[in-house]
Amino acid sequence: MALTDLITAFLLLGSLGFFLAGTLGLLRFPDLYCRLHALTKADNLGLGLVVLALMIQSDSWQVVIRLLLIWLLVLVAGATVAHLIARKAQQDGHQPWRR
Amino acid sequence: MELALIFDLILLITLIALAWLLLASSDIFRAVVLFIAFGLLLALAWVRLGAPDVALAEAAIGAGITGALLLVGLGRLGSAEHYRGTRTRLTFLQRLSAPVLIGVMIPSISLILLLELSLHASATPGQQGLVNVLLDVSGTNHGVTAVLMNFRAWDTLLEKGVLLLALISIWSLDQARPLFRQNDISPQLTGLARLLLPIMIIVAGFVLWQGDHAPGGAFQSGAILSAGILLAILVGYTLPTRRQGLSLRLLLAVGFSVFLLVAAATLLSSDYLLKYPDSLAGSLILLLELVATASIAALLAAAVVGGHPPDDLSKPVDRSSAVNGGQT
């Protein structure tokens, strides 16, 4: 097994951790704001690691740039959508969870 | 190979489960969200089947534009409680109809599929060989584009007509109502639109150009452009009123009209509908793809906006009476 494959496997396992944590947060967190937080943070980093793993495996720099662009677009779109959902929830009077 | 099989099986089971959940859901909003998720996974299934052209169209149109269309429609319906259907007692025959229908249809479809598969077990690649032979004279370098714009351009012509007809039907129903409340635009969304709109225009151009030698083309490109138009509308951009009359209608109709003109010209000059002269095929396909992209972008966006422009264009649209504000 080449070194690049090893790094890829390591990165993918790392991303798996983030996706699992995000999904767990989505299922278990007490209110909408917490769940949004878990989902976006974890997915952004999880996807980032997947993209990084794929970049190492790709043969040409064009593919690397396209992958990077996909990640950046998902970051921007994900952050904005999370903001829009939270904003709408606040306008509708969802109270943040308190212990 | 084993891993790929497991992935395909999981994908298949998820698709069927999603389809069942969205059909069985009594909450319409939930059903719409599940439908969008279903569309995205279906696009993945098309990729696995080796049909990236269909996958692109499914993701952009099936999940994206149709999803937006359903969400806007849902907003127009008003509060969801109103439309949660009431259940009445079914008669015996009504109760029997669904099981009988499913019991007859599923075995017959399975039987037809099995017969087809056993007949063509040697898995001929369909018309691929023929397409590859004729690709040189088709005016394009991608098989799917050659089929869509040359060998079977007749289908594409009708498709454009159907799309135009659909919008005419929508426009004949009602005047368009604003999609949102004017004072309710998030500055974050405006920022996103400013960042994304130039990128979307470039990507649409790229996808159109790709269509010549790889998966892509007018429909996918038009869908991306229409998503850009909708994003612009959502952050408050409007078409100037003086462009909402004839100019808008010309833009909507230009794809179909030019296609029709080319069809008539080829019929007169060669006795066959849409049989391009070999030397002109490339240029004609490029022209048709360009006007089709413009029309498809405008048509899809106009369909989501839903309804014709105000009759009296001199009157400003009353944005305070937005119907969608409380829903999506």
Side-chain angles (χ1 to χ4, degrees), chain B residues 2-301:
Chain B
E2 279 295 300
L3 267 178
L5 189 68
I6 293 171
F7 178 81
D8 288 348
L9 276 177
I10 293 175
L11 185 62
L12 199 63
I13 293 167
T14 316
L15 271 174
I16 294 172
L18 268 182
W20 177 258
L21 276 176
L22 87 90
L23 286 176
S25 167
S26 63
D27 181 354
I28 315 180
F29 178 71
R30 204 174 111 97
V32 170
V33 173
L34 285 171
F35 177 79
I36 297 172
F38 179 79
L40 289 174
L41 283 179
L42 193 60
L44 205 56
W46 282 118
V47 172
R48 293 293 304 154
L49 286 170
D53 292 87
V54 190
L56 264 176
E58 175 61 39
I61 299 158
I65 295 293
T66 314
L69 203 70
L70 290 172
L71 282 175
V72 170
L74 199 62
R76 295 265 155 85
L77 281 179
S79 100
E81 278 78 40
H82 264 340
Y83 292 88
R84 202 163 285 171
T86 50
R87 298 202 170 198
T88 49
R89 278 189 70 84
L90 301 172
T91 65
F92 176 67
L93 280 178
Q94 279 173 328
R95 219 183 276 269
L96 206 64
S97 56
V100 167
L101 191 67
I102 293 170
V104 172
M105 287 309 284
I106 290 184
S108 22
I109 292 174
S110 317
L111 195 69
I112 293 169
L113 280 179
L114 274 178
L115 281 177
E116 272 296 302
L117 284 178
S118 61
L119 278 181
H120 303 284
S122 52
T124 54
Q127 306 285 330
Q128 190 135 39
L130 195 59
V131 169
N132 284 341
V133 170
L134 291 171
L135 201 55
D136 284 341
V137 294
S138 70
T140 168
N141 300 313
H142 182 49
V144 175
T145 310
V147 171
L148 287 179
M149 299 306 292
N150 194 338
F151 309 147
R152 297 282 297 177
W154 167 242
D155 292 342
T156 311
L157 169 70
L158 287 180
E159 196 180 274
K160 302 280 176 291
V162 166
L163 209 54
L164 188 61
L165 205 60
L167 189 77
I168 292 173
S169 318
I170 293 173
W171 275 23
S172 67
L173 290 177
D174 198 5
Q175 182 175 316
R177 280 178 288 182
L179 290 176
F180 58 92
R181 279 182 295 224
Q182 181 73 347
N183 54 6
D184 197 30
I185 302 168
S186 157
Q188 192 94 19
L189 189 63
T190 313
L192 180 76
R194 284 195 185 140
L195 186 71
L196 280 190
L197 280 178
I199 300 179
M200 285 173 112
I201 293 171
I202 293 174
V203 170
F206 174 73
V207 169
L208 180 63
W209 167 74
Q210 280 277 100
D212 178 53
H213 54 269
F219 228 103
Q220 291 91 334
S221 173
I224 293 169
L225 268 185
S226 76
I229 296 172
L230 288 172
L231 184 62
I233 291 175
L234 282 179
V235 297
Y237 290 89
T238 48
L239 199 62
T241 21
R242 64 173 192 286
R243 297 264 175 260
Q244 287 184 13
L246 186 64
S247 314
L248 178 61
R249 285 164 175 80
L250 279 179
L251 179 64
L252 292 169
V254 69
F256 184 55
S257 321
V258 172
F259 220 128
L260 216 53
L261 275 180
V262 171
T266 48
L267 187 62
L268 289 176
S269 67
S270 71
D271 284 349
Y272 288 102
L273 195 68
L274 289 165
K275 181 179 184 298
Y276 314 128
D278 284 353
S279 57
L280 276 178
S283 328
L284 278 176
I285 288 177
L286 183 64
L287 171 75
L288 290 177
E289 292 255 38
L290 278 176
V291 289
T293 306
S295 277
I296 288 167
L299 280 167
L300 292 177

Side-chain angles (χ1 to χ4, degrees), chain A residues 28 60 70 83 89-92 98-99:
Chain A
R28 299 297 300 163
S60 72
I70 288 172
H83 156 77
Q90 204 189 13
Q91 282 173 357
D92 287 356
R98 283 190 204 295
R99 192 187 288 276

